[in-house]
Amino acid sequence: MSNKLRHVVCVIFDFFCIVMLWILYDNFRQTLVEIKKQEDIIRFGNRDGFFITGIIFPLMHLLVTMEQLFPDFIKRIEKYKKPVNHGIMGFIAALLIAGFALSSWLQSRAEKAGYVHCRYVSGASALAKTLVYTKGEQICEDLEAKARAERTRR
């Protein structure tokens, strides 16, 4: 694969990572708006925070590009290679921890606003759960009844 093609593929992947970050922002914004408006039902993924890891690839691509464009600068800072590597690994770990923290923060924000976790209606996949919070027990029970009715029809 030529260098030009490699960079084109990386830029395309960077674009998708940026779209993933936009989805993270929009999901969080939408959930916070629903909480503020006191909507009856709120749905969100408990692992939406992990979209933040989408920032890793564009940053790594930027570092590699800088290494190719400014090789003299990279040679001058060679003695700082070990601390920089530790910093990058710490940053990646911090992003993963931030994913957990953001998801937990949204859940606690919904619960503090008076929402009840509706466990039966919440869905699960191999990687994440879709959490459903309702403004009261009655709404949750109504959702559960509808979900049971739909499952029996199938």
Side-chain angles (χ1 to χ4, degrees):
M1 182 184 301
S2 71
N3 274 345
K4 189 174 183 177
L5 180 60
R6 202 173 331 180
H7 282 292
V8 168
V9 169
C10 285
V11 167
I12 290 170
F13 199 73
D14 289 344
F15 172 77
F16 285 118
C17 289
I18 291 168
V19 168
M20 190 169 71
L21 289 172
W22 178 256
I23 291 170
L24 164 74
Y25 166 76
D26 192 53
N27 286 347
F28 272 72
R29 184 192 58 77
Q30 183 65 33
T31 302
L32 292 174
V33 166
E34 289 173 354
I35 290 172
K36 188 175 182 178
K37 285 183 176 181
Q38 295 291 308
E39 297 283 335
D40 288 339
I41 301 168
I42 296 175
R43 289 182 170 88
F44 61 92
N46 73 332
R47 297 292 178 244
D48 282 350
F50 288 105
F51 282 140
I52 202 167
T53 57
I55 202 167
I56 293 171
F57 188 81
L59 287 177
M60 291 298 177
H61 184 221
L62 177 68
L63 290 173
V64 169
T65 303
M66 283 179 55
E67 187 177 32
Q68 290 177 352
L69 293 177
F70 308 108
D72 295 335
F73 175 73
I74 300 302
K75 286 178 186 173
R76 279 187 283 170
I77 62 168
E78 188 71 28
K79 59 185 170 187
Y80 303 111
K81 188 175 186 177
K82 191 172 185 177
V84 168
N85 286 341
H86 287 284
I88 290 171
M89 295 308 288
F91 179 70
I92 291 171
L95 285 176
L96 293 174
I97 292 169
F100 279 115
L102 286 173
S103 297
S104 297
W105 179 76
L106 261 185
Q107 290 173 345
S108 69
R109 184 88 185 245
E111 289 169 0
K112 284 180 184 176
Y115 286 91
V116 178
H117 183 213
C118 199
R119 286 177 174 37
Y120 183 77
V121 182
S122 296
S125 69
L127 298 176
K129 290 181 185 176
T130 299
L131 300 175
V132 177
Y133 281 83
T134 59
K135 200 61 185 154
E137 289 290 333
Q138 185 60 44
I139 298 170
C140 182
E141 290 171 7
D142 293 344
L143 281 175
E144 288 177 4
K146 286 180 185 177
R148 284 189 186 116
E150 286 180 16
R151 288 183 182 153
T152 57
R153 277 190 247 154
R154 291 181 194 173

